[in-house]
Coordinates of all heavy atoms in Angstrom, one line a residue:
M22 N -7.6 9.6 -30.0 CA -7.9 10.9 -29.4 C -9.4 10.9 -29.3 O -10.2 10.7 -30.1 CB -7.4 12.0 -30.4 CG -7.9 13.4 -30.0 SD -7.1 14.0 -28.5 CE -7.7 15.6 -28.4
F23 N -9.8 11.2 -28.0 CA -11.3 11.3 -27.7 C -11.6 12.8 -27.4 O -10.7 13.5 -26.9 CB -11.7 10.5 -26.5 CG -11.4 9.1 -26.7 CD1 -10.1 8.5 -26.3 CD2 -12.3 8.2 -27.2 CE1 -9.8 7.1 -26.4 CE2 -12.1 6.8 -27.4 CZ -10.8 6.3 -26.9
T24 N -12.7 13.3 -27.8 CA -13.2 14.6 -27.4 C -14.5 14.6 -26.9 O -15.4 13.7 -27.0 CB -13.1 15.5 -28.7 OG1 -14.1 15.1 -29.6 CG2 -11.7 15.5 -29.3
T25 N -14.9 15.8 -26.2 CA -16.2 16.0 -25.8 C -17.0 16.6 -27.0 O -16.3 16.8 -28.0 CB -16.3 17.0 -24.6 OG1 -15.7 18.3 -25.1 CG2 -15.5 16.5 -23.5
R26 N -18.2 16.9 -26.8 CA -19.0 17.4 -28.0 C -18.4 18.7 -28.6 O -18.5 18.9 -29.8 CB -20.5 17.6 -27.5 CG -21.4 18.1 -28.6 CD -22.8 18.3 -28.0 NE -23.7 18.8 -29.0 CZ -25.0 19.2 -28.8 NH1 -25.4 18.9 -27.7 NH2 -25.6 19.7 -29.7
D27 N -17.9 19.5 -27.7 CA -17.3 20.8 -28.2 C -15.9 20.6 -28.6 O -15.3 21.6 -29.0 CB -17.5 21.9 -27.2 CG -16.6 21.7 -25.9 OD1 -15.8 20.7 -26.0 OD2 -16.6 22.5 -25.0
G28 N -15.4 19.5 -28.7 CA -14.1 19.3 -29.2 C -12.9 19.3 -28.2 O -11.7 19.2 -28.5
S29 N -13.3 19.6 -26.9 CA -12.3 19.6 -25.9 C -11.7 18.1 -25.7 O -12.4 17.1 -25.8 CB -12.9 20.1 -24.6 OG -13.4 21.3 -24.8
P30 N -10.4 18.0 -25.4 CA -9.9 16.6 -25.1 C -10.6 15.9 -24.0 O -10.9 16.6 -23.0 CB -8.4 16.9 -24.7 CG -8.2 18.3 -25.2 CD -9.5 19.0 -25.2
W31 N -10.8 14.7 -24.2 CA -11.4 13.9 -23.1 C -11.0 12.5 -23.3 O -11.1 11.9 -24.3 CB -13.0 13.9 -23.2 CG -13.7 12.7 -22.6 CD1 -14.2 11.6 -23.3 CD2 -13.9 12.5 -21.2 NE1 -14.7 10.7 -22.4 CE2 -14.6 11.3 -21.1 CE3 -13.6 13.2 -20.1 CZ2 -14.9 10.7 -20.0 CZ3 -14.0 12.7 -18.9 CH2 -14.6 11.4 -18.7
E32 N -10.5 11.9 -22.2 CA -10.1 10.5 -22.3 C -10.9 9.6 -21.3 O -10.8 10.0 -20.0 CB -8.6 10.4 -21.9 CG -8.1 8.9 -22.0 CD -6.6 8.8 -21.9 OE1 -5.9 9.7 -21.3 OE2 -6.0 7.8 -22.4
P33 N -11.5 8.7 -21.8 CA -12.4 7.8 -20.8 C -11.4 7.1 -19.9 O -10.2 6.8 -20.3 CB -13.0 6.8 -21.8 CG -13.0 7.5 -23.1 CD -11.7 8.3 -23.1
A34 N -11.9 6.8 -18.7 CA -11.1 6.0 -17.8 C -12.0 4.8 -17.4 O -12.9 5.0 -16.7 CB -10.6 6.8 -16.6
Y35 N -11.7 3.6 -17.9 CA -12.6 2.5 -17.7 C -12.5 1.9 -16.3 O -11.3 1.7 -15.8 CB -12.3 1.4 -18.8 CG -12.5 2.0 -20.2 CD1 -11.5 1.9 -21.1 CD2 -13.7 2.4 -20.6 CE1 -11.6 2.5 -22.4 CE2 -13.9 2.9 -22.0 CZ -12.9 2.9 -22.8 OH -13.0 3.4 -24.1
L36 N -13.6 1.4 -15.8 CA -13.5 0.6 -14.5 C -13.0 -0.8 -14.8 O -13.6 -1.5 -15.6 CB -15.0 0.5 -14.0 CG -15.1 -0.3 -12.7 CD1 -14.3 0.3 -11.6 CD2 -16.6 -0.5 -12.3
T37 N -11.8 -1.1 -14.2 CA -11.2 -2.4 -14.6 C -11.3 -3.3 -13.3 O -11.0 -4.6 -13.5 CB -9.8 -2.2 -15.0 OG1 -9.1 -1.6 -13.9 CG2 -9.7 -1.5 -16.2
A38 N -11.5 -2.8 -12.1 CA -11.5 -3.7 -10.9 C -12.2 -3.0 -9.7 O -12.2 -1.7 -9.7 CB -10.0 -4.0 -10.5
I39 N -12.7 -3.8 -8.9 CA -13.3 -3.4 -7.7 C -12.6 -4.2 -6.5 O -12.7 -5.4 -6.6 CB -14.8 -3.5 -7.6 CG1 -15.5 -2.7 -8.7 CG2 -15.4 -3.1 -6.2 CD1 -16.9 -2.9 -8.9
D40 N -12.0 -3.5 -5.5 CA -11.4 -4.2 -4.4 C -12.4 -4.7 -3.4 O -13.0 -3.9 -2.6 CB -10.5 -3.3 -3.7 CG -9.6 -4.0 -2.6 OD1 -10.1 -5.1 -2.2 OD2 -8.5 -3.5 -2.3
G41 N -12.8 -6.0 -3.5 CA -13.8 -6.6 -2.7 C -13.5 -6.5 -1.2 O -14.4 -6.6 -0.4
S42 N -12.3 -6.3 -0.8 CA -12.0 -6.2 0.6 C -12.2 -4.9 1.3 O -12.4 -4.7 2.4 CB -10.4 -6.6 0.8 OG -9.6 -5.6 0.3
K43 N -12.4 -3.9 0.3 CA -12.7 -2.5 0.8 C -14.2 -2.1 0.6 O -14.7 -1.3 1.2 CB -11.8 -1.5 0.0 CG -10.4 -1.6 0.4 CD -9.7 -0.5 -0.4 CE -8.2 -0.5 -0.2 NZ -7.5 0.5 -1.2
C44 N -14.7 -2.7 -0.5 CA -16.1 -2.4 -0.9 C -17.2 -2.7 0.2 O -17.1 -3.8 0.8 CB -16.5 -3.1 -2.2 SG -18.3 -3.0 -2.6
I45 N -18.0 -1.8 0.5 CA -19.1 -2.0 1.6 C -20.4 -2.3 0.9 O -21.4 -2.4 1.7 CB -19.1 -0.9 2.5 CG1 -19.5 0.5 1.7 CG2 -17.8 -0.6 3.3 CD1 -19.8 1.7 2.6
G46 N -20.4 -2.5 -0.4 CA -21.7 -2.9 -1.0 C -22.8 -1.9 -0.9 O -24.0 -2.2 -0.9
C47 N -22.5 -0.6 -0.9 CA -23.4 0.4 -0.6 C -24.4 0.6 -1.8 O -25.5 1.2 -1.7 CB -22.8 1.7 -0.3 SG -21.8 2.4 -1.6
G48 N -23.9 0.3 -3.0 CA -24.6 0.3 -4.2 C -24.6 1.7 -4.8 O -25.3 1.9 -5.9
R49 N -24.0 2.7 -4.3 CA -24.0 4.0 -5.0 C -23.4 4.0 -6.4 O -24.0 4.6 -7.3 CB -23.0 5.0 -4.2 CG -23.6 5.3 -2.8 CD -22.8 6.2 -2.1 NE -23.1 6.3 -0.7 CZ -22.5 7.1 0.2 NH1 -21.5 7.8 -0.1 NH2 -22.9 7.0 1.4
C50 N -22.4 3.2 -6.7 CA -21.8 3.2 -8.1 C -22.8 2.5 -9.0 O -23.0 3.0 -10.1 CB -20.6 2.3 -8.0 SG -20.7 0.7 -7.3
F51 N -23.5 1.5 -8.6 CA -24.5 0.9 -9.4 C -25.6 1.8 -9.8 O -26.1 1.8 -11.0 CB -25.1 -0.3 -8.6 CG -26.1 -1.1 -9.3 CD1 -25.8 -2.1 -10.2 CD2 -27.5 -0.9 -9.1 CE1 -26.7 -2.9 -10.9 CE2 -28.4 -1.5 -9.8 CZ -28.1 -2.6 -10.7
K52 N -26.1 2.6 -8.9 CA -27.1 3.6 -9.1 C -26.8 4.6 -10.1 O -27.6 5.1 -11.0 CB -27.6 4.3 -7.8 CG -28.4 3.3 -6.9 CD -28.7 4.0 -5.6 CE -29.4 3.0 -4.7 NZ -29.4 3.6 -3.3
V53 N -25.5 5.0 -10.2 CA -25.2 6.1 -11.1 C -24.7 5.5 -12.5 O -24.6 6.3 -13.5 CB -24.1 7.0 -10.6 CG1 -24.6 7.7 -9.3 CG2 -22.8 6.3 -10.4
C54 N -24.5 4.2 -12.7 CA -24.0 3.7 -13.8 C -25.2 3.4 -14.8 O -26.1 2.7 -14.4 CB -23.2 2.4 -13.6 SG -22.5 1.7 -15.2
A55 N -25.1 3.9 -16.0 CA -26.2 3.6 -17.0 C -25.8 2.4 -17.9 O -26.6 2.3 -18.9 CB -26.3 4.9 -17.8
R56 N -24.7 1.8 -17.7 CA -24.3 0.8 -18.6 C -24.3 -0.7 -18.2 O -23.7 -1.6 -18.8 CB -22.8 1.2 -19.0 CG -22.8 2.6 -19.7 CD -23.3 2.6 -21.1 NE -22.5 1.6 -21.9 CZ -22.9 1.3 -23.1 NH1 -24.0 1.8 -23.7 NH2 -22.2 0.4 -23.8
D57 N -24.9 -0.9 -17.0 CA -25.0 -2.3 -16.5 C -23.6 -3.0 -16.5 O -23.4 -4.1 -16.9 CB -25.9 -3.1 -17.5 CG -26.4 -4.5 -16.8 OD1 -26.4 -4.5 -15.6 OD2 -26.8 -5.3 -17.5
V58 N -22.7 -2.3 -15.9 CA -21.3 -2.9 -15.8 C -21.1 -3.6 -14.6 O -20.3 -4.6 -14.5 CB -20.3 -1.7 -15.9 CG1 -18.8 -2.1 -15.6 CG2 -20.4 -0.9 -17.2
M59 N -21.8 -3.2 -13.4 CA -21.6 -3.8 -12.1 C -22.8 -4.6 -11.7 O -23.9 -4.4 -12.2 CB -21.2 -2.8 -11.1 CG -19.9 -2.1 -11.5 SD -19.8 -0.5 -10.6 CE -20.8 0.6 -11.6
H60 N -22.5 -5.4 -10.7 CA -23.6 -6.3 -10.2 C -23.3 -6.5 -8.6 O -22.1 -6.7 -8.2 CB -23.5 -7.7 -10.8 CG -24.7 -8.5 -10.6 ND1 -25.9 -8.3 -11.1 CD2 -24.8 -9.7 -9.9 CE1 -26.7 -9.3 -10.8 NE2 -26.0 -10.1 -10.0
L61 N -24.4 -6.4 -7.8 CA -24.2 -6.6 -6.4 C -24.3 -8.1 -6.1 O -25.3 -8.7 -6.5 CB -25.3 -5.8 -5.7 CG -25.1 -5.6 -4.2 CD1 -23.8 -4.7 -3.9 CD2 -26.3 -4.8 -3.6
M62 N -23.4 -8.5 -5.2 CA -23.4 -10.0 -4.8 C -23.3 -10.0 -3.3 O -22.9 -9.1 -2.6 CB -22.2 -10.7 -5.4 CG -22.1 -10.7 -6.9 SD -23.2 -11.9 -7.6 CE -22.6 -13.5 -7.2
G63 N -23.7 -11.1 -2.8 CA -23.5 -11.5 -1.3 C -22.2 -12.2 -1.2 O -21.7 -12.8 -2.0
V64 N -21.6 -12.1 0.1 CA -20.4 -12.9 0.5 C -20.8 -13.7 1.7 O -21.3 -13.1 2.7 CB -19.2 -11.9 0.7 CG1 -18.0 -12.8 1.2 CG2 -18.9 -11.0 -0.4
N65 N -20.6 -15.0 1.6 CA -21.1 -15.9 2.7 C -20.0 -16.1 3.7 O -18.9 -15.5 3.6 CB -21.6 -17.2 2.2 CG -20.6 -18.1 1.6 OD1 -19.4 -17.8 1.7 ND2 -21.1 -19.1 0.8
D66 N -20.2 -16.9 4.7 CA -19.3 -17.2 5.8 C -18.0 -17.7 5.3 O -16.9 -17.5 6.0 CB -19.8 -18.2 6.8 CG -20.8 -17.5 7.8 OD1 -20.6 -16.3 8.1 OD2 -21.8 -18.1 8.2
D67 N -18.0 -18.4 4.2 CA -16.8 -19.0 3.6 C -16.1 -18.1 2.6 O -15.2 -18.4 1.8 CB -17.1 -20.3 2.9 CG -17.6 -21.3 3.8 OD1 -17.1 -21.4 5.0 OD2 -18.6 -22.0 3.5
D68 N -16.5 -16.8 2.6 CA -15.9 -15.8 1.7 C -16.2 -16.1 0.3 O -15.3 -15.7 -0.6 CB -14.4 -15.6 2.0 CG -13.9 -14.2 2.0 OD1 -14.8 -13.3 2.3 OD2 -12.8 -13.9 1.7
E69 N -17.3 -16.7 0.0 CA -17.7 -17.1 -1.4 C -18.8 -16.1 -1.9 O -19.6 -15.6 -1.1 CB -18.2 -18.5 -1.5 CG -17.2 -19.6 -1.1 CD -17.8 -20.9 -0.9 OE1 -19.1 -21.0 -0.6 OE2 -17.1 -21.9 -1.0
L70 N -18.7 -15.8 -3.2 CA -19.8 -14.9 -3.7 C -21.1 -15.7 -3.9 O -21.0 -16.9 -4.4 CB -19.4 -14.4 -5.0 CG -18.2 -13.3 -5.0 CD1 -17.7 -13.0 -6.4 CD2 -18.6 -12.1 -4.3
V71 N -22.1 -15.1 -3.5 CA -23.5 -15.9 -3.6 C -24.4 -14.8 -4.2 O -24.3 -13.6 -4.1 CB -24.0 -16.4 -2.3 CG1 -23.0 -17.6 -1.8 CG2 -24.1 -15.3 -1.2
A72 N -25.5 -15.3 -4.7 CA -26.6 -14.5 -5.3 C -27.2 -13.6 -4.3 O -27.2 -13.9 -3.0 CB -27.6 -15.3 -5.9
C73 N -27.6 -12.4 -4.6 CA -28.1 -11.4 -3.8 C -29.3 -10.7 -4.5 O -29.1 -9.9 -5.4 CB -27.0 -10.4 -3.5 SG -27.5 -8.9 -2.6
S74 N -30.6 -11.1 -4.1 CA -31.7 -10.7 -4.8 C -32.2 -9.3 -4.2 O -33.1 -8.7 -4.9 CB -32.8 -11.7 -4.8 OG -33.2 -11.9 -3.5
G75 N -31.8 -9.0 -3.1 CA -32.2 -7.8 -2.4 C -33.1 -8.0 -1.2 O -33.3 -7.1 -0.4
D76 N -33.6 -9.2 -1.0 CA -34.4 -9.6 0.2 C -33.4 -10.1 1.2 O -33.3 -11.4 1.4 CB -35.5 -10.5 -0.1 CG -36.5 -10.7 1.0 OD1 -36.2 -10.2 2.1 OD2 -37.5 -11.4 0.9
D77 N -32.8 -9.3 2.0 CA -31.7 -9.7 2.9 C -32.1 -10.8 3.9 O -31.4 -11.6 4.2 CB -31.3 -8.5 3.7 CG -30.5 -7.4 2.8 OD1 -30.5 -7.6 1.6 OD2 -30.1 -6.5 3.4
E78 N -33.4 -10.7 4.4 CA -33.8 -11.6 5.4 C -33.8 -13.2 5.0 O -33.6 -14.0 5.7 CB -35.1 -11.3 5.9 CG -35.2 -10.0 6.7 CD -36.5 -9.7 7.4 OE1 -37.3 -10.6 7.4 OE2 -36.6 -8.6 7.9
D79 N -34.0 -13.4 3.6 CA -34.1 -14.7 3.1 C -32.8 -15.2 2.7 O -32.6 -16.3 2.2 CB -35.0 -14.8 1.9 CG -36.5 -14.6 2.4 OD1 -36.7 -14.7 3.6 OD2 -37.3 -14.3 1.6
E80 N -31.7 -14.4 2.8 CA -30.5 -14.8 2.1 C -29.4 -15.1 3.0 O -29.4 -14.6 4.2 CB -30.1 -13.8 1.1 CG -31.2 -13.5 0.2 CD -30.9 -12.8 -1.1 OE1 -30.1 -13.4 -1.9 OE2 -31.5 -11.8 -1.5
E81 N -28.4 -15.9 2.6 CA -27.3 -16.4 3.5 C -26.0 -15.8 3.1 O -25.2 -16.4 2.5 CB -27.3 -18.0 3.4 CG -28.6 -18.6 3.9 CD -28.5 -20.1 3.9 OE1 -27.5 -20.6 3.6 OE2 -29.6 -20.7 4.3
F82 N -25.9 -14.5 3.4 CA -24.6 -13.8 3.3 C -24.4 -12.9 4.4 O -25.3 -12.5 5.1 CB -24.5 -13.1 1.9 CG -25.7 -12.2 1.7 CD1 -25.7 -10.9 2.3 CD2 -26.7 -12.5 0.8 CE1 -26.6 -10.0 2.0 CE2 -27.7 -11.7 0.6 CZ -27.7 -10.3 1.1
V83 N -23.1 -12.6 4.7 CA -22.7 -11.8 5.8 C -22.4 -10.3 5.4 O -22.6 -9.4 6.2 CB -21.5 -12.4 6.5 CG1 -21.8 -13.7 7.2 CG2 -20.3 -12.5 5.6
R84 N -22.2 -10.2 4.1 CA -22.1 -8.8 3.6 C -22.3 -8.7 2.2 O -22.5 -9.8 1.4 CB -20.7 -8.2 4.0 CG -19.5 -8.9 3.3 CD -18.2 -8.4 3.8 NE -17.1 -9.1 3.1 CZ -16.5 -8.6 2.0 NH1 -16.9 -7.5 1.5 NH2 -15.5 -9.2 1.5
K85 N -22.4 -7.6 1.6 CA -22.6 -7.5 0.1 C -21.3 -6.8 -0.4 O -20.6 -6.0 0.2 CB -23.7 -6.5 -0.2 CG -25.1 -7.1 0.3 CD -26.2 -6.1 0.0 CE -27.5 -6.5 0.5 NZ -28.6 -5.5 0.4
V86 N -21.1 -7.1 -1.7 CA -20.0 -6.5 -2.4 C -20.3 -6.3 -3.9 O -21.1 -7.1 -4.5 CB -18.8 -7.5 -2.3 CG1 -19.0 -8.7 -3.0 CG2 -17.5 -6.8 -2.7
M87 N -19.8 -5.2 -4.5 CA -20.1 -4.9 -5.9 C -19.0 -5.6 -6.7 O -17.8 -5.6 -6.4 CB -20.0 -3.4 -6.1 CG -20.6 -3.0 -7.4 SD -22.4 -3.3 -7.5 CE -23.1 -2.2 -6.3
V88 N -19.4 -6.3 -7.8 CA -18.5 -7.0 -8.6 C -18.6 -6.5 -10.1 O -19.7 -6.0 -10.4 CB -18.6 -8.5 -8.6 CG1 -18.4 -9.0 -7.2 CG2 -20.0 -8.9 -9.1
L89 N -17.6 -6.6 -10.8 CA -17.7 -6.3 -12.3 C -18.5 -7.4 -12.9 O -18.3 -8.6 -12.8 CB -16.3 -6.3 -12.9 CG -15.6 -5.0 -12.8 CD1 -14.2 -5.1 -13.3 CD2 -16.3 -3.9 -13.6
H90 N -19.5 -7.0 -13.8 CA -20.4 -7.9 -14.3 C -20.3 -8.0 -15.8 O -20.1 -9.0 -16.4 CB -21.8 -7.4 -13.9 CG -23.0 -8.0 -14.7 ND1 -23.2 -9.4 -14.7 CD2 -24.0 -7.5 -15.3 CE1 -24.3 -9.6 -15.4 NE2 -24.8 -8.5 -15.7
Q91 N -20.2 -6.8 -16.5 CA -20.0 -6.7 -17.9 C -19.0 -5.6 -18.1 O -19.4 -4.5 -18.6 CB -21.4 -6.5 -18.6 CG -22.3 -7.6 -18.5 CD -23.6 -7.5 -19.3 OE1 -23.7 -8.0 -20.3 NE2 -24.5 -6.6 -18.8
A92 N -17.8 -5.9 -17.9 CA -16.8 -4.8 -17.9 C -16.7 -4.2 -19.2 O -16.4 -3.0 -19.4 CB -15.5 -5.4 -17.5
G93 N -17.0 -4.9 -20.3 CA -16.9 -4.4 -21.6 C -18.0 -3.4 -22.0 O -17.8 -2.7 -23.1
N94 N -18.9 -3.1 -21.2 CA -19.9 -2.2 -21.4 C -19.5 -0.8 -20.9 O -20.2 0.2 -21.3 CB -21.3 -2.5 -20.6 CG -22.1 -3.6 -21.3 OD1 -21.7 -4.1 -22.4 ND2 -23.1 -4.0 -20.6
C95 N -18.5 -0.7 -20.2 CA -18.0 0.6 -19.5 C -17.7 1.6 -20.6 O -16.8 1.3 -21.5 CB -16.9 0.3 -18.6 SG -16.3 1.8 -17.7
I96 N -18.2 2.9 -20.4 CA -17.7 3.9 -21.4 C -16.7 4.8 -20.7 O -16.3 5.9 -21.3 CB -19.0 4.7 -21.9 CG1 -19.7 5.3 -20.7 CG2 -19.8 3.9 -22.7 CD1 -20.8 6.3 -21.1
G97 N -16.2 4.5 -19.5 CA -15.3 5.3 -18.8 C -15.7 6.7 -18.4 O -14.8 7.6 -18.4
C98 N -16.9 6.8 -18.0 CA -17.4 8.2 -17.7 C -16.9 8.6 -16.3 O -16.8 9.8 -16.1 CB -18.9 8.2 -17.7 SG -19.7 7.2 -16.4
G99 N -16.6 7.7 -15.4 CA -16.0 8.0 -14.1 C -17.1 8.4 -13.1 O -16.8 8.7 -11.9
A100 N -18.4 8.3 -13.4 CA -19.4 8.6 -12.4 C -19.3 7.8 -11.2 O -19.5 8.2 -10.1 CB -20.8 8.5 -13.1
C101 N -19.1 6.4 -11.4 CA -19.0 5.5 -10.3 C -17.9 5.9 -9.3 O -18.0 5.7 -8.1 CB -18.9 4.1 -10.7 SG -17.5 3.8 -11.9
S102 N -16.7 6.3 -9.9 CA -15.6 6.7 -9.0 C -16.0 7.9 -8.2 O -15.6 7.9 -7.0 CB -14.5 7.0 -10.0 OG -13.5 7.7 -9.3
R103 N -16.7 8.8 -8.6 CA -17.0 10.0 -7.9 C -18.0 9.8 -6.7 O -17.9 10.5 -5.7 CB -17.6 11.1 -8.8 CG -16.6 11.7 -9.8 CD -17.2 12.9 -10.5 NE -18.0 12.6 -11.5 CZ -17.8 12.2 -12.7 NH1 -16.4 12.3 -13.1 NH2 -18.7 12.0 -13.6
V104 N -18.8 8.8 -6.8 CA -19.7 8.5 -5.7 C -19.2 7.4 -4.7 O -19.8 7.2 -3.6 CB -21.1 8.1 -6.1 CG1 -21.7 9.2 -7.0 CG2 -21.0 6.8 -6.9
C105 N -18.1 6.7 -5.0 CA -17.7 5.6 -4.1 C -17.0 6.2 -2.9 O -16.0 7.0 -3.0 CB -16.6 4.8 -4.8 SG -16.0 3.4 -3.8
P106 N -17.5 5.8 -1.7 CA -17.1 6.3 -0.4 C -15.8 5.6 0.1 O -15.2 6.0 1.0 CB -18.2 6.1 0.6 CG -18.9 4.9 0.1 CD -18.7 4.9 -1.5
K107 N -15.4 4.6 -0.6 CA -14.3 3.8 -0.1 C -13.1 3.7 -1.0 O -12.1 3.0 -0.7 CB -14.8 2.3 0.2 CG -15.9 2.2 1.1 CD -15.6 2.8 2.5 CE -14.7 1.8 3.3 NZ -14.5 2.4 4.6
A108 N -13.1 4.3 -2.2 CA -12.1 4.4 -3.1 C -11.5 3.1 -3.4 O -10.3 2.8 -3.4 CB -10.9 5.3 -2.5
C109 N -12.4 2.2 -3.7 CA -12.1 0.7 -3.9 C -12.0 0.4 -5.4 O -11.8 -0.8 -5.8 CB -12.9 -0.2 -3.1 SG -14.7 0.1 -3.3
Q110 N -12.3 1.3 -6.2 CA -12.4 1.0 -7.7 C -11.1 1.4 -8.4 O -10.4 2.4 -8.0 CB -13.5 1.9 -8.3 CG -14.8 1.5 -7.7 CD -15.9 2.4 -8.3 OE1 -15.7 3.3 -9.1 NE2 -17.1 2.2 -7.9
T111 N -10.7 0.7 -9.4 CA -9.6 1.0 -10.3 C -10.1 1.5 -11.6 O -10.9 0.7 -12.2 CB -8.7 -0.3 -10.4 OG1 -8.2 -0.6 -9.1 CG2 -7.4 0.1 -11.3
H112 N -9.7 2.6 -12.0 CA -10.0 3.0 -13.4 C -8.8 3.2 -14.2 O -7.7 3.7 -13.7 CB -10.8 4.4 -13.3 CG -12.2 4.2 -12.8 ND1 -13.2 4.3 -13.5 CD2 -12.6 4.0 -11.5 CE1 -14.4 4.1 -12.7 NE2 -13.9 4.0 -11.5
V113 N -8.8 2.8 -15.4 CA -7.6 2.9 -16.3 C -7.9 3.7 -17.5 O -8.9 3.4 -18.3 CB -7.1 1.5 -16.7 CG1 -5.9 1.6 -17.6 CG2 -6.8 0.7 -15.4
P114 N -7.0 4.7 -17.8 CA -7.3 5.6 -19.0 C -7.3 4.8 -20.3 O -6.5 3.8 -20.4 CB -6.1 6.6 -19.0 CG -5.7 6.6 -17.5 CD -5.9 5.2 -17.0
A115 N -8.1 5.2 -21.2 CA -8.3 4.3 -22.4 C -7.0 4.2 -23.2 O -6.6 3.0 -23.7 CB -9.3 5.0 -23.3
G116 N -6.2 5.2 -23.2 CA -4.9 5.1 -23.9 C -4.0 4.1 -23.3 O -3.2 3.4 -24.0
A117 N -4.0 4.0 -21.9 CA -3.1 3.0 -21.3 C -3.6 1.6 -21.6 O -2.8 0.7 -21.6 CB -3.1 3.3 -19.7
L118 N -4.9 1.4 -21.6 CA -5.5 0.1 -21.9 C -5.2 -0.4 -23.3 O -4.8 -1.5 -23.6 CB -6.9 0.1 -21.7 CG -7.6 -0.2 -20.4 CD1 -9.1 -0.3 -20.4 CD2 -7.0 -1.6 -19.9
A119 N -5.2 0.7 -24.2 CA -4.9 0.3 -25.7 C -3.5 -0.1 -25.8 O -3.2 -0.9 -26.7 CB -5.3 1.5 -26.5
A120 N -2.6 0.5 -25.0 CA -1.2 0.2 -25.1 C -0.8 -1.1 -24.5 O 0.3 -1.6 -24.7 CB -0.4 1.4 -24.5
A121 N -1.6 -1.6 -23.6 CA -1.3 -2.7 -22.8 C -1.3 -4.0 -23.7 O -2.0 -4.1 -24.7 CB -2.3 -2.9 -21.6
Ligands
SF4_18 S1 -17.1 4.6 -15.5 FE1 -19.2 5.0 -16.0 S2 -19.9 3.4 -17.5 FE2 -18.0 2.7 -16.4 S3 -18.7 1.5 -14.7 FE3 -18.3 3.6 -13.9 S4 -20.4 4.6 -14.1 FE4 -20.5 2.8 -15.4
SF4_19 S1 -19.7 2.8 -4.4 FE1 -17.7 1.8 -3.8 S2 -18.2 0.9 -1.7 FE2 -20.2 1.4 -2.7 S3 -20.8 -0.6 -3.7 FE3 -19.7 0.7 -5.2 S4 -17.6 0.0 -5.1 FE4 -18.5 -0.7 -3.2

């Protein structure tokens, strides 16, 4: 049982997956996350993930995509879900994860 500070019921919903086929790599989720859960990567011509340092002109990728980096850091706040324009994230309630 989780609660907010005033004792109201609150259940975290952890980020468990990002659909790379829908993600546009906009970075909005990354900006609102305080827990270093996600990481922006490049995707090259062969559909492989490659490093993405931020200097697009020097890098060899055709698009960017957000990936889970340290999933265990997630506190399930849901902020990333609220800002994602592509609904490509999967969040699972803490209770459901614990039962799995
Ligand atoms: S739910 Fe919160 S802590 Fe978890 S990845 Fe999203 S913004 Fe970060
Ligand atoms: S907000 Fe959504 S579309 Fe944008 S980078 Fe994050 S997961 Fe991808």
Side-chain angles (χ1 to χ4, degrees):
M22 173 68 175
F23 301 91
T24 64
T25 61
R26 183 177 172 184
D27 68 2
S29 303
W31 156 257
E32 184 171 24
Y35 301 118
L36 177 64
T37 59
I39 299 172
D40 185 340
S42 68
K43 292 183 186 171
C44 175
I45 56 172
C47 67
R49 291 181 193 179
C50 54
F51 180 83
K52 287 178 186 164
V53 299
C54 180
R56 298 287 302 172
D57 196 21
V58 175
M59 297 162 280
H60 191 71
L61 196 60
M62 299 285 290
V64 179
N65 68 14
D66 278 330
D67 296 322
D68 222 25
E69 297 167 335
L70 289 175
V71 295
C73 170
S74 71
D76 188 354
D77 293 3
E78 292 186 9
D79 289 345
E80 307 202 56
E81 298 183 0
F82 53 80
V83 292
R84 66 185 180 94
K85 295 179 187 174
V86 68
M87 196 64 66
V88 299
L89 275 171
H90 167 54
Q91 299 187 99
N94 282 358
C95 179
I96 58 171
C98 67
C101 54
S102 167
R103 287 191 287 276
V104 298
C105 180
K107 302 303 285 184
C109 51
Q110 303 175 354
T111 300
H112 291 256
V113 178
L118 268 185

